[in-house]
Amino acid sequence: MRHGKKINHLSRQTGHRKSMLANMACSLIEHKRINTTVAKAKALKQFVEPLITKSKEDTTHNRRVVFAYLRNKYGVTELFREVAAKVGDRPGGYTRIIKMGNRLGDNADMAMIELVDFNELYNGGKKEEKKAKSRRGGKAKKETTAAAPVAEATPAPEAPETSSEETTESAE
């Protein structure tokens, strides 16, 4: 029975597990994808996603909190500059785990964990423009109604000008 077992201990003592996850998180932030076992990838996902959420808001307090977990100032800098800029509009789910098969030596289940926004193959090599989604619905409706009359007003004056020029050219 797994009463009270909230995290996978990965057959390691607490200090070793925290250091290993911190190192793996820094490698993931630096290289944008790493290969590891499925169990470690799942543990890393739970470890790194809250840190990425904190990096969206660049404050001194958030940098210090993330540094306490990562213990690597270059990893923190990369996270708050490049990674936070790409995931700024994403509400969650920053990582993806892809199972790769079994390792030859010990037949362990292997997986690749990667940052979702840094893989151009799945995004089609282009950035998709997402519409602003609001859970309450009030703000998105105001923006669309305000933009619609402006778009209708601009084409109307252009149509009479082109038709008058065409008539003068055909008359000459």
Side-chain angles (χ1 to χ4, degrees), residues 25-102:
C26 290
S27 296
L28 178 65
I29 291 166
E30 180 183 350
H31 300 292
K32 311 306 185 252
R33 83 172 47 134
I34 58 172
N35 292 329
T36 183
T37 62
V38 173
K40 287 180 189 175
K42 289 179 180 179
L44 179 62
K45 184 171 186 154
Q46 290 178 349
F47 181 84
V48 79
E49 292 217 0
L51 301 181
I52 296 173
T53 302
K54 286 210 176 286
S55 73
K56 288 180 174 183
E57 186 181 349
D58 191 4
T59 62
T60 305
H61 175 68
N62 283 347
R63 281 183 176 262
R64 287 178 178 167
V65 169
V66 170
F67 181 76
Y69 283 94
L70 292 183
R71 307 177 204 158
N72 183 347
K73 64 181 180 180
Y74 302 111
V76 172
T77 303
E78 178 92 7
L79 177 64
F80 276 86
R81 286 190 184 161
E82 293 182 19
V83 176
K86 279 223 176 180
V87 301
D89 58 342
R90 183 178 288 275
Y94 311 110
T95 58
R96 173 187 299 130
I97 297 175
I98 301 170
K99 295 185 179 178
M100 305 279 291
N102 294 339

Side-chain angles (χ1 to χ4, degrees), residues 116-134:
V116 172
D117 290 321
F118 287 90
N119 188 343
E120 288 80 20
L121 293 176
Y122 287 136
N123 295 340
K126 58 184 176 185
K127 291 210 171 197
E128 297 177 10
E129 258 185 61
K130 295 182 181 178
K131 296 180 182 177
K133 292 183 181 178
S134 175

